[in-house]
Amino acid sequence: MNITLSVNERTQTVQIDGSETLLEMLRNHLGLLGTKEGCTEGECGACSVLVDGQPVHSCIYLAAATEGCQVLTIEGISHGDELSKLQSELINGGGVQCGFCTPGFVVVLTALLKKSSNPSASEIRNALSGNICRCTGYTQIVESVLQLTEGKKTSNKSNLMINGSMS
Amino acid sequence: MIGASVVRSDAFVKVTGRAVYGVDYQEINMLHGFLLRSPVAAGRVIKLDISIALGMDGVQSILTAKDQPSEMAGWVLREQRLFASEELRYEGEPIALVIAKTYDEAKAAASSILLEIDEWKGVDLVAASTTNARIIHKNWKSYVPTAGPNADYPRDGNLACETKSNAVGVDVAFGQATKIIEDKFCSNRQYQAYLEPKSAVATYVNGQFTIHTASQHPFNVRERVSQFLGVRISSVRVIGKTIGGGFGGKLDAALEPYAALAAKVTGSPVKIMNTRTEDILTCPSRENALITIRTALNAAGEMIGRDVVVDMDNGAYSTEMPWLASLPLHILGAIYEIDGPTRITSRLWYTNTAPTGAFRGVGGTYLYMALERHIDNIANSIGMDRLEFRLRHLIDDGAVSHVGQILPDAGILREGFNEIQKVVSWEETVANLKPFQGVGIASGFWLTNPMPGQATVKLNEDGTVSVITGATENGSGAVAMGVRQIVAQGLGVDVNDVSVSMPDTDISSYDAGSQGSRTTHIVGRAALNASTEVKRQILEQASNLLEVDAADLQISNSLISVVGSPSISVSLGEVATNALWAVGPITATSSYTTPPISFDPGCASGLLFPTFPTPTYHVHLAVVEVDPVTGGVKILRYVVVQEVGKAINPDAVRGQIQGAVAQGVGLTLYESLRIGKDCRYLERTLENYRLPIALDVPDVEIRLMEHPDECGPFGAKGAAEPAIVFVPAAILNAVSHAIGRNVTSIPLTPECVLDLIERES
Amino acid sequence: MEFRTVFSAEEALETLTQEGIQAKILAGGTDLVVQMKRKEIEPGVLVHIKRASDLKEILSSDTTRIGSLVSHADLVDSKLIQLNYGSLANAASQIGGWQTQVIGTIGGNVANASPAADLVPPLLVHGAIVHLASKRRRRSIPLNEFLIGRRKTALAADELIIGFELEPKSKHSADKYLKVGRRSAMEVAIVGLAIRMTLEDDLETISKIRIAVASCGPKAFLADSASSILTGMRVTSTLISEAGELLLTEANPVDDVRASATYRKRLLPNLLGRAIVGCIETIREAEKGR
């Protein structure tokens, strides 16, 4: 079947099978490899994209259901060489290590910041329940968001001391 | 540059989704492979009929044991071939490889292969270690160690390796004891659960294999592929891709040898990828283990002897586990002084389960758990405060380890205890705990992997610098930040003008992979040495250009200028270009490996991993709260004090400690990888193999200690691996304190907590 | 497999009647697509119903009607649900993570009939009626009867869940949902317990109570014995213990990959106590606030 949708603000008409997932369509038909497959069962969040502004696990979202929808992937968040403020902050704040989970986190956090301009640390963590990071232990990701919204990290940052003095 | 935050060289591509991971890599006209894997843990193949499958849509070829070279492969012991021929030894063991035009076609054909199996009862760790179980490798005597026949070690039947310390007088000490404290502990497996599943893309042309893979150890993959395929290692080129996490699980070859053989047979590029379930089933997880630890006490409550037996699960094949069997001897006879002998027996057993291997911290996680739980129990048995007991027996500068290694700076441990008290006062905490709250403490040492590495530093014609190395960036930032910072500092250039290569075994010299926190220390050292030589060459050229003595010149902000007269200067670009035509390109190479450390070779048999080089010291503290209704454990506070030598990048060190503790929390409280009665895993997807989410992980409070190492670049020791090692110990000690019971297992499930609470103490 | 989008309940019913048992309703798909990928189900026609706007409303008059396509996120955000059926909003907030909640639906959660379905215990204690429709007829049955067993409901092949109808909130009442899992989210409940309690004017005597438990049997059940021993009584710790004992006789947990039967039985009585005490506190706090 053919479907027509907007992907990163560009209209696309794609020929797909009814049982294909949005993730498969993005990676195999549209060449958008930034959205990752980590588990294929909606557990790890590496495949997160926005459908009409809502975060979904694209590995368990059927492509055919996106007919007429606006899909935003990681590729649509930066423009050329220009990163979004969130992306820059994640880099500066130590929120990127192996980076495999990063597209999913960027997408979900982008949606969060549209919904709430000043989320608390626990609201951020709650919003990230469907995203696993195995490298960072989450703290520096959460702090990057807080640095963006509040201009400061949590007090924990000051807890990194070396030989008795602040780092 | 050193001690500063910098932007990762791979930051842009990672944050925009443009980084090419192993799973993303593609070649034109690429075929896809899918493995038919054993559905049982043990048995014999009666019938394998690929005829129907061969005729299916898109299928190009199907490979089985009939097609494999006769050579045996293995990291420590050459005991393995690509496909199971008759005997099946673990669930997931490859039986056949289907190669087809698409992944779906390969998968469909694989399920059409007719497979008949005579299933046997699997041998698990208890059966292997305590009964006369069926020998899993009947030909074990014929296996040759990879390092050669002279490098053999104690092994026998299902005993894959035995490492044992020769301690005299232990039984006498126990005979004289007033009290004996005995503890039994157990630990389940932990799956590395990197977000990116394993993959490999291989091509073959005229005897040369090229493999693209997200491996932590490309040179190891090269060796393994060459072993499996019976070719010279120089016939195999491994090109590293961005890695989506490894944590030790991507140190050995996995899909690469299969992709390589498939590429040769079909003449096309071939890609193979694991599904998440395949990855869980076959990844070399952290091994499960059983520990019995006994300490003899005299009438005064002093420790006068210790006897430990550790049984570790090797799985069906050995990977690097025979080395890791040495770990108990390093850890369980260390940290707290005993006034008497210690005997440690470490036994590694073959079982009908997936081969085990390295996961950050390896066996240290359950070994320190056993040691620290045992110490708590001893302290409690003599009515002494647990911190006070530790401080009384803590090793000091010049301590000699169980294997005869001298630890000249072990006094840093005591400093660590002082540091942690500044963050959390032990006495105050203990006094103010509410019901079902507890505090636990754990300490110890860890190593920096000493194995070799190399770096080439070259000056480009525009004055920027490139570093070529076989080192692997596994996400920690050791390459994407650390090595660049070291070179930038060494040369006096901006770190943003320093680039670093991806590993390619044809281009760079040997690197021992991203493991054991070695990259900053070893590759950083090599890069610093190379930078020093490059700097010498630069100053020599500049001195010719400026007609000034090289000793009077300095490099800063990419300009070489006269000390005291900054206006007399020349740019690095100018120097580079001039040098090019005068003497040739400015470049230097350096190799480094930690010099061997002396120990007592007579202290033990089978000690394949002899010392803990460049040791670091650690103290961890956890405050927990137990829910008496559900048995759930909440971590209220977690504090880490860690010796790092020098923090090249404090933000990155912090990220490693936070990440390591998160993995430790997962290991201790959430992740179960259980082996069922049929020797198959009970947890098989990420729904059941629970990784901690953001709400589950506490913010770790961190204090770093810096006692510069004389060999490390700017004093740096290894920092990234160790923080996970002490987490189960600290948390289990805290929970035991909270509920007044003896917690003895990893993971600690809520069910176990309720069970313990209900029992008599 | 054919994918067919419909835009109203009527259209959906048309399709279901035409295609028979090979048709499956696709709402959010968070359960369905996972099952399809595991090859547990292989439908011939997927009826994509998410665009049917007539099934997305929450209406309150005397009772409250929730359309079957109301998402978990909608339940969490609805002031009406928060105020009157707090346990339902709470349960919805504990299903998966954000990605699951924005597209998963109340109809899907119930129709999937997992023994651990989070919305079921709160729906049961609020006396939920399931409204069903087909081209043949409309019917309404109590949720308790609609759920038959593990992944089994009374839904006929040509039927669609239109919505759910809940009893109105009473004076001096509160409801709670307690979920036991390992992690803080993304969990299939090891035990799910909901209660709805109404106190007499004395704020001591239980005039009415319903208790529902999930994950302790092939389907969630209403604990009638435990409820009746509490009804009309003043709450004491002895009474709670007795109710806990009775609850154990009604529960039928098994060992599964998430937890053992022993663990579930061990925690049930104390969990009930926690829920009862919590409800009483909430009711009394609300009174004080007046």
Side-chain angles (χ1 to χ4, degrees):
Chain A
M1 60 190 289
N2 277 338
I3 59 165
T4 301
L5 69 152
S6 157
V7 180
N8 299 330
E9 297 185 349
R10 243 169 148 207
T11 306
Q12 300 273 8
T13 298
V14 196
Q15 189 181 60
I16 52 153
D17 203 74
S19 59
E20 274 187 68
T21 63
L22 176 54
L23 178 66
E24 284 164 342
M25 178 174 78
L26 292 170
R27 287 183 66 89
N28 301 340
H29 294 278
L30 296 174
L32 295 168
L33 299 183
T35 307
K36 306 299 184 193
E37 179 176 326
C39 72
T40 329
E41 47 170 356
E43 285 290 330
C44 76
C47 67
S48 301
V49 300
L50 301 186
V51 176
D52 291 341
Q54 301 277 46
V56 306
H57 287 137
S58 65
C59 71
I60 55 168
Y61 199 95
L62 290 180
T66 64
E67 165 76 47
C69 291
Q70 310 233 30
V71 172
L72 181 69
T73 73
I74 183 67
E75 287 89 349
I77 290 182
S78 55
H79 299 283
D81 287 347
E82 208 183 298
L83 299 174
S84 74
K85 290 207 180 84
L86 171 68
Q87 286 171 310
S88 298
E89 206 55 63
L90 275 173
I91 292 173
N92 293 335
V96 179
Q97 288 189 25
C98 87
F100 200 75
C101 75
T102 302
F105 273 82
V106 169
V107 162
V108 173
L109 290 171
T110 299
L112 176 66
L113 290 170
K114 273 216 182 84
K115 185 175 162 193
S116 161
S117 59
N118 210 358
S120 67
S122 67
E123 280 166 345
I124 297 168
R125 286 175 186 269
N126 195 46
L128 293 175
S129 291
N131 287 76
I132 303 279
C133 176
R134 194 50 157 169
C135 296
T136 66
Y138 305 101
T139 297
Q140 283 162 310
I141 294 175
V142 175
E143 283 179 352
S144 298
V145 181
L146 291 172
Q147 177 68 38
L148 188 61
T149 58
E150 292 178 13
K152 63 173 165 65
K153 304 187 196 224
T154 61
S155 61
N156 188 54
K157 166 74 171 173
S158 65
N159 274 339
L160 177 66
M161 291 172 72
I162 305 181
N163 285 352
S165 43
M166 296 289 223
S167 131
Chain B
M1 270 321 110
I2 303 301
S5 292
V6 301
V7 173
R8 303 177 61 105
S9 56
D10 54 10
F12 184 88
V13 292
K14 283 181 174 174
V15 90
T16 57
R18 265 179 253 186
V20 179
Y21 293 85
V23 288
D24 296 322
Y25 187 76
Q26 299 176 56
E27 294 254 347
I28 300 172
N29 296 327
M30 192 170 73
L31 300 174
H32 294 261
F34 190 90
L35 283 164
L36 173 70
R37 297 178 179 276
S38 171
V40 303
R44 195 174 60 89
V45 177
I46 301 173
K47 177 162 138 184
L48 180 66
D49 185 348
I50 63 172
S51 50
I52 296 174
L54 265 176
M56 287 177 67
D57 279 345
V59 174
Q60 307 292 298
S61 181
I62 300 183
L63 305 176
T64 69
K66 290 204 190 84
D67 308 295
Q68 67 190 355
S70 57
E71 281 80 354
M72 307 282 274
W75 196 339
V76 176
L77 186 69
R78 301 189 68 149
E79 50 170 19
Q80 212 179 344
R81 295 173 77 199
L82 283 173
F83 299 105
S85 45
E86 258 198 42
E87 186 165 340
L88 301 169
R89 295 192 171 95
Y90 67 99
E91 187 199 9
E93 181 165 19
I95 296 174
L97 175 66
V98 177
I99 307 146
K101 289 223 177 88
T102 70
Y103 176 84
D104 286 336
E105 283 168 342
K107 184 174 174 187
S111 55
S112 302
I113 295 178
L114 297 173
L115 178 63
E116 244 178 77
I117 295 170
D118 174 23
E119 186 175 354
W120 302 339
K121 182 162 164 57
V123 175
D124 66 10
L125 180 61
V126 170
S129 60
T130 62
T131 73
N132 215 6
R134 170 178 50 81
I135 304 291
I136 292 173
H137 287 269
K138 290 184 210 49
N139 298 329
W140 65 270
K141 275 201 193 113
S142 69
Y143 297 156
V144 179
T146 304
N150 294 330
D152 216 333
Y153 48 91
R155 56 194 178 93
D156 182 355
N158 281 339
L159 184 61
C161 177
E162 184 178 63
T163 306
K164 192 167 172 161
S165 59
N166 306 323
V168 175
V170 171
D171 298 316
V172 169
F174 275 87
Q176 290 171 347
T178 308
K179 196 196 281 193
I180 294 175
I181 307 290
E182 172 167 331
D183 280 310
K184 285 192 193 304
F185 300 102
C186 68
S187 182
N188 271 350
R189 295 194 179 187
Q190 187 185 18
Y191 166 52
Q192 291 80 342
Y194 32 77
L195 266 267
E196 178 208 15
K198 287 184 181 162
S199 69
V201 176
T203 60
Y204 174 85
V205 175
N206 189 31
Q208 293 296 119
F209 296 90
T210 302
I211 304 177
H212 297 263
T213 177
S215 166
Q216 290 176 257
H217 197 343
F219 287 84
N220 202 28
V221 169
R222 182 173 78 158
E223 180 189 76
R224 202 73 56 246
V225 173
S226 80
Q227 286 177 334
F228 272 116
L229 300 190
V231 301
R232 300 193 305 187
I233 56 173
S234 54
S235 300
V236 181
R237 176 182 185 186
V238 179
I239 301 178
K241 301 264 92 57
T242 305
I243 303 175
F247 316 113
K250 290 179 179 168
L251 284 170
D252 203 354
L255 301 171
E256 296 88 350
Y258 300 92
L261 183 62
K264 180 174 179 190
V265 166
T266 61
S268 295
V270 177
K271 181 174 192 174
I272 311 179
M273 287 195 306
N274 272 345
T275 62
R276 179 56 67 180
T277 295
E278 278 181 293
D279 208 279
I280 294 175
L281 291 183
T282 62
C283 187
S285 311
R286 187 194 312 283
E287 73 280 5
N288 46 312
L290 302 164
I291 308 110
T292 303
I293 178 168
R294 303 162 66 227
T295 300
L297 304 179
N298 65 13
E302 298 289 325
M303 300 185 283
I304 58 168
R306 178 166 295 154
D307 191 10
V308 188
V309 176
V310 181
D311 288 302
M312 303 156 77
D313 195 335
N314 191 43
Y317 297 95
S318 293
T319 75
E320 58 172 325
M321 290 305 295
W323 292 335
L324 299 180
S326 298
L327 240 68
L329 273 71
H330 294 289
I331 293 171
L332 294 172
I335 313 306
Y336 306 107
E337 300 271 19
I338 296 185
D339 193 12
T342 296
R343 175 172 58 213
I344 301 173
T345 308
S346 172
R347 304 189 302 212
L348 182 65
W349 299 93
Y350 282 112
T351 62
N352 285 122
T353 62
T356 55
F359 182 171
R360 193 181 202 163
V362 294
T365 51
Y366 59 77
L367 294 172
Y368 275 110
M369 178 274 282
L371 178 65
E372 291 292 12
R373 283 294 310 119
H374 190 62
I375 292 291
D376 260 18
N377 288 342
I378 295 173
N380 288 336
S381 79
I382 63 171
M384 190 182 288
D385 174 83
R386 296 168 291 146
L387 175 62
E388 189 191 331
F389 185 86
R390 285 174 169 78
L391 292 173
R392 278 204 193 189
H393 293 93
L394 209 56
I395 53 175
D396 228 313
D397 285 347
V400 180
S401 82
H402 188 58
V403 298
Q405 174 185 350
I406 299 174
L407 302 169
D409 53 2
I412 295 174
L413 266 176
R414 195 168 295 273
E415 200 186 308
F417 275 94
N418 291 337
E419 274 304 309
I420 211 154
Q421 288 264 62
K422 291 181 197 162
V423 184
V424 178
S425 154
W426 177 264
E427 274 150 23
E428 259 178 59
T429 305
V430 168
N432 294 322
L433 290 169
K434 300 204 190 87
F436 291 105
Q437 289 183 346
V439 59
I441 200 162
S443 79
F445 73 147
W446 199 248
L447 78 159
T448 307
N449 183 298
M451 300 204 298
Q454 169 268 343
T456 297
V457 175
K458 70 174 177 115
L459 184 64
N460 298 311
E461 297 89 278
D462 59 0
T464 62
V465 178
S466 297
V467 182
I468 300 153
T469 175
T472 310
E473 171 55 60
N474 67 2
S476 71
V479 177
M481 294 189 285
V483 166
R484 292 169 59 234
Q485 288 175 260
I486 289 166
V487 168
Q489 182 76 23
L491 285 177
V493 303
D494 188 312
V495 68
N496 294 314
D497 280 347
V498 179
S499 70
V500 63
S501 67
M502 293 281 281
D504 183 330
T505 60
D506 264 14
I507 296 175
S508 63
S509 293
Y510 185 88
D511 181 85
S514 63
Q515 55 172 324
S517 318
R518 59 173 285 285
T519 302
T520 298
H521 185 76
I522 301 285
V523 181
R525 170 89 252 161
L528 185 57
N529 290 350
S531 300
T532 303
E533 169 55 22
V534 164
K535 184 170 180 177
R536 190 199 64 73
Q537 294 177 31
I538 291 170
L539 294 182
E540 191 177 78
Q541 287 306 306
S543 89
N544 291 340
L545 283 172
L546 295 174
E547 292 177 337
V548 169
D549 217 74
D552 296 326
L553 292 173
Q554 69 183 10
I555 311 179
S556 174
N557 296 329
S558 303
L559 280 176
I560 304 102
S561 59
V562 178
V563 178
S565 304
S567 57
I568 308 174
S569 70
V570 66
S571 75
L572 267 178
E574 268 183 84
V575 168
T577 312
N578 266 279
L580 192 61
W581 303 109
V583 296
I586 290 182
T587 178
T589 282
S590 180
S591 300
Y592 185 72
T593 186
T594 302
I597 296 163
S598 71
F599 68 105
D600 172 17
C603 72
S605 56
L607 190 72
L608 297 183
F609 200 97
T611 59
F612 261 27
T614 318
T616 55
Y617 299 92
H618 309 256
V619 184
H620 285 212
L621 184 146
V623 183
V624 305
E625 185 173 86
V626 174
D627 182 336
V629 171
T630 65
V633 173
K634 188 170 164 200
I635 303 171
L636 300 176
R637 283 184 85 173
Y638 200 91
V639 188
V640 170
V641 173
Q642 178 167 334
E643 164 61 42
V644 296
K646 177 71 190 170
I648 302 293
N649 186 319
D651 269 352
V653 173
R654 181 162 175 252
Q656 290 312 294
I657 294 174
Q658 177 68 39
V661 171
Q663 290 174 353
V665 168
L667 166 65
T668 310
L669 297 178
Y670 299 109
E671 298 170 41
S672 291
L673 187 59
R674 293 173 293 171
I675 299 165
K677 290 200 177 71
D678 58 359
C679 288
R680 297 167 63 231
Y681 285 153
L682 291 172
E683 282 80 17
R684 307 163 74 83
T685 67
L686 290 188
E687 184 189 56
N688 294 317
Y689 188 80
R690 297 176 179 82
L691 299 169
I693 56 177
L695 288 166
D696 296 322
V697 181
D699 287 330
V700 180
E701 300 165 66
I702 302 167
R703 294 289 189 276
L704 302 182
M705 298 183 288
E706 284 181 326
H707 298 80
D709 178 72
E710 58 183 12
C711 297
F714 303 105
K717 306 178 190 177
E721 183 187 30
I724 190 178
V725 165
F726 307 95
V727 178
I731 294 178
L732 261 53
N733 275 351
V735 174
S736 298
H737 184 226
I739 63 175
R741 303 284 190 272
N742 186 17
V743 180
T744 59
S745 66
I746 300 171
L748 175 59
T749 65
E751 169 151 12
C752 181
V753 172
L754 282 194
D755 199 50
L756 285 169
I757 289 176
E758 244 175 65
R759 275 197 234 155
E760 298 295 303
S761 57
Chain C
M1 191 209 71
E2 201 199 317
F3 185 98
R4 215 182 287 181
T5 303
V6 297
F7 295 88
S8 67
E10 268 319 300
E11 251 192 274
L13 293 180
E14 204 54 65
T15 312
L16 287 177
T17 306
Q18 272 174 32
E19 304 293 341
I21 57 164
Q22 60 152 351
K24 272 239 138 203
I25 297 284
L26 171 75
T30 56
D31 288 315
L32 204 73
V33 178
V34 174
Q35 288 162 26
M36 277 168 58
K37 289 211 148 272
R38 289 182 190 159
K39 297 272 194 281
E40 288 168 14
I41 55 167
E42 287 180 85
V45 179
L46 269 187
V47 185
H48 173 50
I49 200 178
K50 249 332 191 52
R51 314 271 169 120
S53 50
D54 51 349
L55 297 171
K56 289 184 187 165
E57 296 191 290
I58 302 175
L59 292 169
S60 183
S61 49
D62 178 24
T63 60
T64 298
R65 286 183 170 241
I66 305 173
S68 58
L69 291 184
V70 169
S71 73
H72 306 313
D74 290 339
L75 289 174
V76 172
D77 290 340
S78 160
K79 288 271 178 297
L80 193 158
I81 303 289
Q82 285 169 28
L83 277 170
N84 299 319
Y85 308 100
S87 60
L88 186 63
N90 187 354
S93 76
Q94 295 194 66
I95 296 178
W98 192 9
Q99 293 92 327
T100 318
Q101 289 168 29
V102 290
I103 61 172
T105 63
I106 185 170
N109 195 246
V110 171
N112 186 48
S114 157
D118 288 298
L119 297 187
V120 171
L123 285 172
L124 284 174
V125 301
H126 289 297
I129 305 281
V130 187
H131 294 299
L132 302 162
S134 71
K135 291 214 70 155
R136 299 177 283 123
R137 60 171 176 176
R138 304 227 147 200
R139 62 182 181 133
S140 305
I141 55 177
L143 177 59
N144 209 13
E145 287 170 34
F146 178 75
L147 295 168
I148 294 175
R150 188 177 185 278
R151 299 273 172 88
K152 279 224 281 279
T153 68
L155 191 70
D158 63 345
E159 266 182 328
L160 180 68
I161 301 177
I162 297 295
F164 303 89
E165 192 168 352
L166 278 54
E167 287 172 14
K169 176 171 170 149
S170 333
K171 187 171 158 213
H172 301 321
S173 74
D175 60 335
K176 289 245 175 286
Y177 176 66
L178 297 179
K179 176 174 181 171
V180 177
R182 292 279 291 275
R183 299 183 294 186
S184 310
M186 297 297 282
E187 288 287 294
V188 174
I190 289 174
V191 172
L193 183 137
I195 73 171
R196 171 180 161 137
M197 175 195 289
T198 308
L199 294 180
E200 301 280 8
D201 288 337
D202 65 2
L203 299 187
E204 306 236 350
T205 316
I206 296 178
S207 66
K208 202 167 173 208
I209 182 168
R210 282 202 199 106
I211 301 166
V213 177
S215 260
C216 288
K219 62 169 194 169
F221 64 91
L222 279 161
D224 293 326
S225 310
S227 304
S228 30
I229 205 181
L230 291 163
T231 308
M233 304 295 290
R234 295 177 72 218
V235 175
T236 63
S237 53
T238 318
L239 184 66
I240 292 180
S241 286
E242 285 173 31
E245 291 298 306
L246 280 171
L247 182 58
L248 281 179
T249 67
E250 301 178 87
N252 219 357
V254 296
D255 291 338
D256 65 22
V257 70
R258 278 175 282 282
S260 71
T262 309
Y263 174 65
R264 290 169 160 117
K265 285 194 216 160
R266 219 169 234 157
L267 69 88
L268 257 182
N270 291 329
L271 200 66
L272 176 65
R274 181 173 274 176
I276 290 172
V277 168
C279 273
I280 294 174
E281 273 170 18
T282 303
I283 295 169
R284 289 178 183 167
E285 281 300 311
E287 267 311 298
K288 274 201 208 130
R290 279 185 208 291

